[in-house]
C-alpha cells in the first residue's frame, strides 16, 4: 500500500512566455476564451525559449491551448468554495467546479485561435492569436495544440452554467465614434456587448470605465442597453 504523504508538496514551473493584449487591467476581459473571437494577442516567449525549433510544426494547427497563471490573484490565496459572478454571487460552489482565479495554483486554461507565427529578429518566434481572455502581460506556463478529435465533445454539458448570458445592445453617439481608434472599433463593440460589469452589479446610474486598446471608455447600462458616455485616448 502506498504511504500517504502529509503536507503540501511543491513543484517549480517556469514562465515560458507572456501575452500582449489590449487589456491593461482585469475589468472588461471576456469571461471565457473565444467569446470575442476577433480579440488579438501576441505571445512572446521568454529569452530561454526563443527558439524556432520549439514551434516547428505549429503552423499545422488552427487552435492552441494556453495554460497560464492568474498573476493578479496569487497573493489572494484560495478558498474551497467560491461565489461565481455568473450566478450573481449568491450561490457557493466548490472551487474545482468553477473557473475562479482563486485556486490553489492560480492556473487558467484558454483555447485560442492561431493566426500565424511571426519570426522576430530579437524576440524569436511570436505567436499571433485571437480570442484570448487574458490581461496584458499574463505569464504563460505551457502551450499545447488543440486536437478536435479528442478535445471537442458534442455531448458535453456544463450544468448550471448552460444558460447563455444575453448580449447587450451598444449605443455609441456619433461624436464619440469619431474618437475611437478605427481599427479597434469593431472589437471594442464586441467586448461591450459581452457586458463588462460584474454580474452582481445592476445599477443603471452607475458609470463604469473600461481601459482597452489605448482608450478609456466610460459607459452606463440600463436593462440590456449599454450607452457609451465618453472616450479618452490614453
Amino acid at each position: 500500500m502506498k504511504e500517504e504523504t502529509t503536507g503540501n508538496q511543491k513543484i517549480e514551473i517556469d514562465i515560458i512566455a507572456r501575452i500582449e493584449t489590449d487589456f491593461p487591467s482585469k475589468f472588461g476581459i471576456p469571461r471565457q476564451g473565444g467569446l470575442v473571437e476577433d480579440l488579438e494577442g501576441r505571445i512572446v516567449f521568454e529569452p530561454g525559449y526563443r527558439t524556432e525549433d520549439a514551434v516547428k510544426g505549429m503552423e499545422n494547427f488552427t487552435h492552441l491551448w494556453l495554460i497560464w497563471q492568474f498573476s493578479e490573484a496569487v497573493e489572494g490565496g484560495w478558498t474551497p468554495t467560491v461565489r461565481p459572478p455568473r450566478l450573481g454571487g449568491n450561490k457557493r460552489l466548490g472551487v474545482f467546479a468553477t473557473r475562479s482565479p482563486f485556486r490553489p495554483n492560480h492556473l487558467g486554461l484558454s483555447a485560442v485561435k492561431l493566426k500565424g507565427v511571426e519570426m522576430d529578429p530579437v524576440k524569436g518566434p511570436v505567436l499571433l492569436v485571437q480570442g484570448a481572455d487574458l490581461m496584458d502581460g499574463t505569464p504563460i506556463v505551457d502551450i499545447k495544440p488543440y486536437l478536435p478529435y479528442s478535445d471537442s465533445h458534442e455531448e458535453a454539458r456544463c450544468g448550471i452554467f448552460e444558460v447563455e448570458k444575453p448580449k447587450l445592445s451598444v449605443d455609441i453617439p456619433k461624436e464619440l465614434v469619431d474618437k475611437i481608434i478605427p481599427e479597434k472599433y469593431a472589437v471594442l463593440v464586441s467586448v461591450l456587448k459581452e457586458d463588462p460589469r460584474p454580474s452582481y452589479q445592476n445599477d443603471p446610474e452607475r458609470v463604469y470605465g473600461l481601459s482597452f486598446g489605448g482608450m478609456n471608455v466610460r459607459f452606463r447600462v440600463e436593462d440590456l442597453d449599454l450607452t457609451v458616455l465618453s472616450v479618452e485616448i490614453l
Side-chain angles (χ1 to χ4, degrees), residues 84-101:
R86 178 68 180 276
L87 302 180
N90 298 318
K91 185 178 179 64
R92 280 196 173 276
L93 293 178
V95 65
F96 300 128
T98 75
R99 297 196 175 187
S100 167

Side-chain angles (χ1 to χ4, degrees), residues 164-184:
E164 185 176 356
K165 188 174 181 178
K167 296 186 187 305
L168 302 180
S169 66
V170 177
D171 176 39
I172 307 177
K174 177 62 170 62
E175 64 272 17
L176 297 181
V177 170
D178 296 337
K179 293 185 177 182
I180 296 173
I181 300 172
E183 58 269 26
K184 303 290 183 182

Side-chain angles (χ1 to χ4, degrees), residues 22-23 27-28 30 36 38-40 168-172 176-196 209-219 226 228-233:
D22 281 325
F23 291 100
F27 183 81
V36 180
D38 292 334
L39 274 176
E40 296 183 348
L168 302 180
S169 66
V170 177
D171 176 39
I172 307 177
L176 297 181
V177 170
D178 296 337
K179 293 185 177 182
I180 296 173
I181 300 172
E183 58 269 26
K184 303 290 183 182
Y185 178 83
V187 183
L188 172 62
V189 171
S190 295
V191 169
L192 294 173
K193 284 183 177 180
E194 290 295 328
D195 195 350
L210 168 68
S211 294
F212 175 79
M215 300 174 286
N216 184 40
V217 181
R218 295 174 67 81
F219 63 91
L226 183 151
V228 174
L229 304 176
S230 66
V231 177
E232 176 187 8
I233 302 298

Side-chain angles (χ1 to χ4, degrees), residues 11-225:
I11 61 173
E12 290 188 1
I13 298 180
D14 288 341
I15 296 173
I16 66 165
R18 293 183 185 273
I19 191 168
E20 299 174 354
T21 73
D22 281 325
F23 291 100
S25 60
K26 293 185 296 181
F27 183 81
I29 296 178
R31 293 171 176 84
Q32 302 295 338
L35 288 180
V36 180
E37 295 181 356
D38 292 334
L39 274 176
E40 296 183 348
R42 290 166 47 89
I43 297 174
V44 180
F45 287 93
E46 293 291 283
Y49 299 93
R50 292 176 181 174
T51 169
E52 188 174 0
D53 287 342
V55 298
K56 185 177 181 180
M58 185 173 281
E59 69 279 0
N60 297 314
F61 297 92
T62 61
H63 293 75
L64 303 172
W65 285 113
L66 305 182
I67 302 173
W68 46 278
Q69 186 182 61
F70 289 97
S71 52
E72 293 286 297
V74 170
E75 298 300 324
W78 78 284
T79 58
T81 62
V82 295
R83 298 178 185 269
R86 178 68 180 276
L87 302 180
N90 298 318
K91 185 178 179 64
R92 280 196 173 276
L93 293 178
V95 65
F96 300 128
T98 75
R99 297 196 175 187
S100 167
F102 301 104
R103 349 181 42 81
N105 291 308
H106 308 285
L107 294 180
L109 177 68
S110 297
V112 298
K113 186 174 184 178
L114 177 65
K115 296 299 293 181
V117 181
E118 179 182 89
M119 293 305 302
D120 185 280
V122 176
K123 298 178 180 179
V126 176
L127 309 184
L128 310 179
V129 299
Q130 287 185 317
D133 54 333
L134 282 72
M135 189 173 73
D136 185 54
T138 294
I140 296 173
V141 299
D142 206 355
I143 300 170
K144 297 177 183 289
Y146 179 96
L147 306 178
Y149 72 87
S150 62
D151 295 347
S152 178
H153 301 277
E154 293 183 0
E155 76 282 6
R157 296 290 180 265
C158 54
I160 57 178
F161 295 100
E162 283 190 343
V163 178
E164 185 176 356
K165 188 174 181 178
K167 296 186 187 305
L168 302 180
S169 66
V170 177
D171 176 39
I172 307 177
K174 177 62 170 62
E175 64 272 17
L176 297 181
V177 170
D178 296 337
K179 293 185 177 182
I180 296 173
I181 300 172
E183 58 269 26
K184 303 290 183 182
Y185 178 83
V187 183
L188 172 62
V189 171
S190 295
V191 169
L192 294 173
K193 284 183 177 180
E194 290 295 328
D195 195 350
R197 302 172 301 164
S199 297
Y200 53 84
Q201 291 184 3
N202 192 28
D203 180 358
E205 298 302 317
R206 181 162 183 168
V207 176
Y208 298 87
L210 168 68
S211 294
F212 175 79
M215 300 174 286
N216 184 40
V217 181
R218 295 174 67 81
F219 63 91
R220 181 182 287 128
V221 179
E222 183 172 1
D223 297 326
L224 294 178
D225 300 318

